[in-house]
């Protein structure tokens, strides 16, 4: 609540001012406790949640629910924070958006406009980027099992770097490059042996990982020697990605240390100077209370300091630095809007609030026990009075969106806005139970543009074929 004073004040009222300010600050503190606002989110005079200048109650009316809402100004702001602290704040660095977090034509355009590069991990993500006219030279192609077709597509498109994950891929790639008579710039993906503190399903830097060449047992050395003997491959550098949703900057410092140490070892061993160090993504974001992500500027400072130290210690020339944030670019920019349907109360046990989506549009609780926060978008300034569980409409008991959340007393027809759903939600969505995927709107300056249409029932049958004998 904000106290608005709209008439000239009498002198005796002026004496009240400090008291009013004090009251105001109390309210603001309480609201912040109840609800953390992200990007351009605010609660408007009608008590509705507003994002990008758009009233979410109006968005629900116009576009239906469930609906993914992406806050364009917030995405651009984060891109600019990354560009500011890594690219402008450092010499020879590049920020690449990991498009698997949220890949659509509009998103590729925003990333291009903000000057970031793009990381793709499949022919589909590459196709999306190329269709969006994303400059191929700024595309990095990842993946632990790229097919011949995907590699051919990448070579033909002229992607900037192919990040080679394993020996099988290396031999196919060299063969294809020879056939197409084109030299290919590659990075080698290595596993540095770092156990980042995050959920085991999103940890990737440890030795027991399906990704990359192991550093510690000499596999990475063999991979490099082999790559250097492939006439159509140009080894520009090495890459590691230690995991996702990482809060401890120390993990990144450790990664820099190990990687520079390795680059220096190679230089000493065979005299080959690797020019690029790609540190992957993984920077953590706020989802729910207790999450305390660092600032992007501190992330950059940590990398910069670790780099200076390691290069000095190893007497190694500073390589080009590449980072690949995905989640932290789009995660907090996304909100999913649902309509509350059935409500089931089991006295003294639990109250279930069911919404018109679920694990089909957000599988992250089912996959990683992810936590989320939510508000009733149509009554966002009301006080919370009860703790409930938010469930979806799929035929699975594991189809939960939030295990415990304090809300005002919800009734059927209320709108529930779950925040921080911008990353790994739409991109991980499915048609389980033949549910149609929600649409995505991009909001900015009071306008909402559909960037992904809501699926229809007929979309579900697009690829179904009925053999004649079954007709
Ligand atoms: C997933 C992934 C990223 C992005 O990770 P975030 O945690 O979303 O920042 C970057 N690089 C690679 C190789 C990845 O697999």
């Amino acid at each position: 609540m904000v106290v608005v004073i709209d008439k000239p004040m009498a002198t005796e009222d002026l004496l009240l001012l400090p008291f009013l300010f004090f009251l105001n600050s109390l309210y603001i503190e309480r609201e912040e406790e109840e609800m953390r606002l992200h990007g351009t989110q605010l609660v408007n005079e009608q008590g509705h949640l507003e994002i990008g200048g758009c009233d979410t109650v109006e968005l629900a009316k116009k576009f239906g629910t469930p609906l993914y809402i992406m806050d364009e100004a917030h995405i651009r702001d984060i891109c600019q924070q990354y560009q500011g602290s890594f690219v402008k704040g450092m010499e020879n660095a590049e920020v690449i958006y990991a498009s698997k977090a949220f890949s659509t034509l509009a998103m590729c355009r925003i990333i291009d406009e903000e000057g970031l590069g793009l990381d793709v991990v499949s022919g589909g993500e590459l196709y999306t980027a190329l269709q969006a006219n994303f400059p191929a030279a700024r595309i990095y192609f990842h993946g632990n099992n790229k097919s011949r077709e995907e590699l051919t597509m990448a070579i033909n498109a002229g992607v900037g770097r192919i990040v080679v994950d394993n020996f099988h891929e290396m031999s196919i790639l060299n063969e294809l490059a020879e056939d197409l008579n084109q030299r290919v710039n590659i990075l080698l993906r290595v596993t540095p042996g770092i156990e980042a503190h995050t959920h085991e399903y999103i940890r990737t830097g440890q030795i027991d990982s399906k990704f990359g060449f192991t550093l510690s047992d000499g596999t990475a050395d063999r991979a490099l020697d082999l790559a250097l003997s492939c006439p159509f491959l140009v080894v520009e550098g090495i890459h590691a990605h230690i995991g996702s949703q990482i809060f401890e900057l120390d993990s990144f410092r450790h990664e820099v240390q190990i990687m520079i140490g390795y680059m220096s070892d190679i230089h000493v061993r065979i005299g080959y100077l690797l020019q690029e160090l790609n540190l992957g993504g993984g920077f953590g974001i706020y989802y729910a209370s207790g999450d305390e992500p660092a600032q992007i500027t501190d992330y950059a400072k940590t990398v910069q300091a670790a780099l200076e130290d390691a290069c000095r210690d190893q007497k190694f020339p500073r390589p080009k630095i590449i980072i690949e944030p995905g989640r932290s670019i789009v995660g907090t920019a996304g909100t999913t809007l649902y309509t509350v349907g059935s409500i089931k109360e089991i006295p003294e046990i639990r109250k279930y609030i069911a919404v018109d989506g679920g694990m089909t549009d957000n599988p992250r609780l089912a996959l990683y026990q992810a936590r989320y926060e939510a508000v009733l978008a149509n009554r966002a300034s009301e006080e919370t009075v009860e703790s409930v569980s938010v469930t979806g409409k799929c035929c699975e008991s594991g189809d939960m969106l939030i295990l415990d959340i304090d809300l005002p007393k919800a009734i059927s027809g209320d709108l529930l806005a779950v925040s921080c759903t911008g990353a790994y939600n739409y991109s991980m969505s499915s048609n389980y139970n033949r549910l149609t995927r929600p649409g995505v709107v991009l909001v900015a300056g009071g306008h909402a543009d559909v960037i992904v249409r809501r699926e229809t029932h007929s979309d579900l049958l697009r690829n179904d074929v009925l053999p004649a004998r079954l007709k």
Side-chain angles (χ1 to χ4, degrees):
M1 188 192 115
V2 176
V3 181
V4 180
I5 300 157
D6 60 358
K7 58 176 186 333
M9 296 182 84
T11 343
E12 59 270 30
D13 285 351
L14 278 176
L15 297 174
L16 276 175
L17 261 184
F19 179 66
L20 286 179
F21 277 121
F22 170 69
L23 265 187
N24 229 347
S25 70
L26 278 187
Y27 271 108
I28 288 166
E29 241 168 58
R30 205 196 46 145
E31 274 174 18
E32 275 174 2
E33 249 173 48
E34 276 171 13
M35 174 187 173
R36 187 160 158 149
L37 297 173
H38 306 274
T40 68
Q41 291 189 354
L42 58 87
V43 178
N44 67 18
E45 279 164 14
Q46 291 102 294
H48 298 171
L49 179 68
E50 196 173 296
I51 309 172
C54 297
D55 185 318
T56 52
V57 175
E58 297 302 317
L59 291 178
K61 270 192 206 135
K62 186 161 179 200
F63 301 104
T65 60
L67 181 70
Y68 295 113
I69 303 165
M70 299 299 287
D71 180 345
E72 181 176 348
H74 189 39
I75 296 171
R76 289 186 186 275
D77 174 50
I78 294 170
C79 288
Q80 286 158 20
Q81 287 185 41
Y82 268 114
Q83 291 289 83
S85 36
F86 279 88
V87 178
K88 297 195 189 83
M90 274 184 209
E91 60 176 283
N92 206 11
E94 192 177 4
V95 180
I96 309 287
Y97 167 61
S99 71
K100 70 175 191 261
F102 178 70
S103 164
T104 67
L105 293 175
M107 187 63 197
C108 291
R109 292 302 322 134
I110 292 174
I111 291 300
D112 185 20
E113 285 184 11
E114 293 300 332
L116 282 72
L118 201 75
D119 141 3
V120 300
V121 295
S122 70
E125 285 180 3
L126 177 57
Y127 179 76
T128 305
L130 296 175
Q131 289 295 308
N133 276 327
F134 198 94
R138 299 209 321 265
I139 297 178
Y140 285 62
F141 191 15
H142 287 281
N144 73 311
N145 191 20
K146 307 177 190 79
S147 68
R148 277 176 185 274
E149 292 71 27
E150 287 173 322
L151 289 170
T152 306
M153 187 176 166
I155 299 170
N156 283 333
V159 305
R161 300 284 180 272
I162 295 181
V163 184
V164 175
D165 180 275
N166 53 73
F167 289 105
H168 170 71
E169 177 185 346
M170 196 185 294
S171 71
I172 307 180
L173 184 62
N174 186 52
E175 207 180 289
L176 292 172
E178 184 167 4
D179 290 349
L180 298 167
N181 195 27
Q182 207 169 311
R183 279 159 66 88
V184 179
N185 295 325
I186 66 165
L187 302 182
L188 294 180
R189 173 155 189 170
V190 303
T191 22
I194 296 173
E195 308 254 343
H197 296 276
T198 188
H199 192 280
E200 65 171 313
Y201 289 1
I202 48 177
R203 209 187 283 153
T204 50
Q206 73 284 9
I207 303 285
D208 183 2
S209 163
K210 75 167 183 171
F211 298 104
F213 302 103
T214 309
L215 274 195
S216 59
D217 66 359
T219 310
D221 285 336
R222 280 198 293 126
L224 178 72
D225 294 348
L226 188 64
L228 292 176
S229 74
C230 292
F232 285 85
L233 304 184
V234 182
V235 187
E236 299 280 2
I238 54 173
H239 164 266
H241 169 69
I242 58 174
S244 200
Q245 187 60 357
I246 295 167
F247 287 127
E248 284 144 38
L249 293 179
D250 211 44
S251 300
F252 298 111
R253 188 189 55 75
H254 191 193
E255 184 189 6
V256 170
Q257 231 171 19
I258 292 182
M259 298 291 273
I260 293 289
Y262 182 66
M263 291 168 95
S264 165
D265 287 350
I266 288 169
H267 192 226
V268 171
R269 184 172 65 86
I270 55 174
Y272 190 78
L273 193 62
L274 292 165
Q275 311 279 343
E276 294 180 10
L277 171 55
N278 183 326
L279 296 167
F283 191 62
I285 62 164
Y286 181 93
Y287 281 104
S289 68
D291 291 341
E292 286 172 12
Q295 298 289 315
I296 290 168
T297 47
D298 292 329
Y299 173 23
K301 277 180 200 151
T302 302
V303 168
Q304 174 70 6
L307 198 60
E308 277 169 18
D309 289 351
C311 288
R312 186 185 351 90
D313 293 350
Q314 307 283 340
K315 299 190 177 54
F316 188 77
R318 189 191 185 286
K320 174 178 178 181
I321 291 294
I322 299 129
I323 57 155
E324 301 173 325
R327 182 192 310 278
S328 53
I329 300 240
V330 282
T332 53
T335 303
T336 312
L337 197 59
Y338 301 96
T339 302
V340 173
S342 63
I343 296 173
K344 171 179 180 176
E345 184 160 14
I346 312 165
E348 316 211 339
I349 296 190
R350 193 181 285 280
K351 185 167 180 179
Y352 285 97
I353 306 270
V355 296
D356 51 355
M359 64 190 290
T360 42
D361 58 78
N362 183 358
R364 293 193 64 259
L365 188 148
L367 281 172
Y368 320 116
Q369 295 93 45
R371 297 176 312 129
Y372 284 96
E373 288 178 347
V375 294
L376 291 184
N378 54 322
R379 300 198 267 133
S381 52
E382 279 184 32
E383 249 180 274
T384 61
V385 295
E386 59 180 5
S387 178
V388 299
S389 296
V390 180
T391 182
K393 61 181 285 162
C394 297
C395 297
E396 297 282 331
S397 292
D399 173 29
M400 299 295 295
L401 290 173
I402 303 178
L403 294 182
D404 292 294
I405 175 95
D406 291 334
L407 288 180
K409 199 172 170 62
I411 53 169
S412 307
D414 274 334
L415 293 172
L416 185 83
V418 178
S419 52
C420 302
T421 59
Y424 305 111
N425 272 233
Y426 171 69
S427 65
M428 283 188 164
S429 62
S430 77
N431 289 122
Y432 179 54
N433 284 169
R434 289 244 150 176
L435 294 190
T436 49
R437 286 186 181 80
V440 185
V441 292
L442 184 68
V443 294
H447 294 283
D449 291 303
V450 174
I451 58 168
V452 180
R453 276 194 294 270
R454 175 183 302 287
E455 279 180 343
T456 62
H457 284 156
S458 72
D459 288 330
L460 295 173
L461 299 188
R462 203 173 44 211
N463 298 315
D464 275 31
V465 180
L466 200 54
R469 65 191 165 79
L470 293 179
K471 279 182 183 155

